[in-house]
Amino acid sequence: MPLIVQKFGGTSVADSQKILGAARKAIRAARSGNQVVVVVSAMGKTTDHLISLANEITDHPNSREMDMLMSSGEQVTIALMAIALESLGYKAVSMTGAQIGIKTDNTHTKARIKSISTDSMRRALDAGKIVIAAGFQGISDDGDITTLGRGGSDTSAVALAAVLGADECEIYTDVDGVYTTDPRILPEARKVLQISYDEMLELASLGAGVMHSRSIEFAKKFGVTVHVRSSFSDGVGTLIVGMSESDAPVAGCAVAKNEARLTLVGVPDKPGNAMWLFSRIAEAKIATDMIVQNVGLEGRTDISFTVPATDSTATLDVLNLVLVEVGAERVEYQEKVAKVSVVGLGMEKQSGVAEKMFRAISEKGINISMITTSEIKISALVSLDDAAETLRAVHSTFELQKTPVKLNEPKNLPVQSINKIDLDVARISGMEDIIIESISLDRQQSQITLPAVPDKPGIAAWMFENIAAAGIIVDMIVQSCGRGGKAMISFTVPRSVLSKALSVVGNLTSEWGSAKPQHNSEIAILTVRGTGLRSHTGLAYRMFKTLADGNINVNVISTSERSISITVEDSSGERGLQLLKNEFLAEMM
Ligand code: ASP
Ligand code: MG
């Protein structure tokens, strides 16, 4: 019998009438011949309310007791939902996380799921009942109630769908699907029919708040088909599956508004310094984003990154400390910046996506102060005042408002290796553990650096257009904020076209009257690829540490949800690969 998991978020169960409405959706699914598991959040803003009650008493409530407190919200909803179903003539049973057997670690308020037992749910389903499961909660080995972090009911729902082998996991929410960008910012945004896990993960991490990132990592790991749809209408929503909606290069774009940019200028370029900086920042529990370490010049390099604006003071404190520890020159920072990103699996196979984006931005006369790229994402940092206009320009240049002419099949890919995880093993331990799919070495690349290009609108667009016009495919583009009004741009190109690329950019720098391009004809790129890279924040740190301990100097870094790439000297490539393989052996599939 087909099995379906339905998750209702807080707004979908905000009052008794809405709970009845959700119950009717469950009944409809049951009547059409499915076994049904319903996962619910706390009603409306209950969780916020519970947290503020604790905060009225103290600023530092005990985290075990916070879990006890917060989990009560979901317990109310499961009971009411079961009562609603029975009143409508259906057999139902409510279950807490502990009753289901959702085992987590004991990190209170942000626990990770270790295993889920399906026995009690199966028994109830086989007895013809609709199972109502409390989202967001689990139980530790010590028998304490734990919660999975704010928004964690999505993760509960997808995890249950995974262990039960559900045909679909429906996420009922107050929006009717996933949009090409936030429709509250751009009304022309379009609801997409389908989006891939990787694209959704990138967009979620960029603040497209439809779903909890961890739930998408789960869905990807176990090949769960997720259907995001509205609780208040019956229309079809958006499927999150293994494949993009179309072969278009860009699937969606997003803006992260509350960011600050910090730069440690003049860091002595030697193994371990980047690692040291980021370990200090990690100790302070600050999440970094958009890390750019540029090519070292005269033995020194600049490391820039963005953090949430609320963390900027704390980050400055850390940087001032590290400044002394590593002997850097100074700290610079810029508040009120915004990161605009485009995401798409299709850009992997096409060239010219970056310059198209830079061109659209420059046509509005907007300056880009930092650029990072990964295989499926390009991000540009602009000033906060320009954020909405940048987003609009980018959205329209990729024609995201139009439904693609040729759509891909709305189904999951044939089971990939990543989905073949033995569910029995997964049930036993570490369902949320990081998975490393591959560690690879690319020794076909060269790197070009333009140390001091004019820092003004249109420069990046102009440059990459010229390079694309020469038929050259570039990768790992990094632009960092320049010193003294200049920007530094570096990128990699295949070794076979290095001289051609150098002559193109050489013409440009002489036209601009700026310093000549530099190059490293033989660099190696080391890439670690996997699932859960971002939510397991220690990974980048472990990569740096492993290489630093092996005395290998890290050059340019590029990060995304599914991969972290760094460039090193070609001569260190093989050894770096070996060191990383040893380090990550335990997590490799
Ligand atoms: N009730 C929890 C929260 O508000 C979990 C959830 O809604 O997903 O964070
Ligand atoms: Mg919620």
Side-chain angles (χ1 to χ4, degrees), residues 196 198-199 242-244 248-249 251 343-349 376 562:
S196 69
D198 284 323
E199 290 164 336
M243 240 196 247
S244 316
V343 170
L345 277 185
M347 73 176 70
E348 264 186 309
K349 298 186 212 86
I376 65 164
R562 60 170 198 179

Side-chain angles (χ1 to χ4, degrees), residues 2-10 12-13 18-31 34-42 74-86 88 90-97 99-100 102 120-122 124-125 128-137 152-161 164 166 168-173 231:
L3 192 153
I4 179 164
V5 173
Q6 299 185 318
K7 182 250 167 181
F8 295 93
S12 311
V13 291
K18 288 190 174 135
I19 290 176
L20 278 164
R24 286 191 192 97
K25 289 209 190 286
I27 290 174
R28 203 178 316 157
R31 282 216 181 110
N34 298 288
Q35 291 191 318
V36 182
V37 174
V38 175
V39 178
V40 290
S41 291
E74 273 69 13
Q75 201 170 323
V76 170
T77 327
I78 51 172
L80 290 173
M81 183 68 81
I83 291 168
L85 280 164
E86 298 212 332
L88 295 170
Y90 259 78
K91 286 194 284 179
V93 58
S94 64
M95 290 185 177
T96 63
Q99 285 176 320
I100 295 167
I102 301 186
S120 51
M121 285 187 293
R122 287 265 185 234
L125 290 169
K129 293 181 183 161
I130 293 179
V131 171
I132 322 289
F136 180 51
Q137 54 176 263
S153 300
D154 288 339
T155 298
S156 308
V158 177
L160 291 183
L164 291 165
E168 195 168 287
C169 180
E170 295 183 324
I171 303 287
Y172 284 97
T173 174
S231 333

Side-chain angles (χ1 to χ4, degrees), residues 60-77:
H60 304 287
N62 175 300
S63 58
R64 177 190 181 277
E65 304 309 332
M66 281 310 285
D67 278 350
M68 186 67 88
L69 176 68
M70 289 190 292
S71 62
S72 68
E74 273 69 13
Q75 201 170 323
V76 170
T77 327

Side-chain angles (χ1 to χ4, degrees), residues 10 54 64 90 118-119 184 233 301 318 349 363 410-411 419 504 512:
R64 177 190 181 277
Y90 259 78
T118 51
D119 300 347
R184 287 166 303 184
S233 73
T301 175
V318 176
K349 298 186 212 86
E363 273 168 2
K411 63 179 184 204
N419 298 334
V504 174
W512 297 328

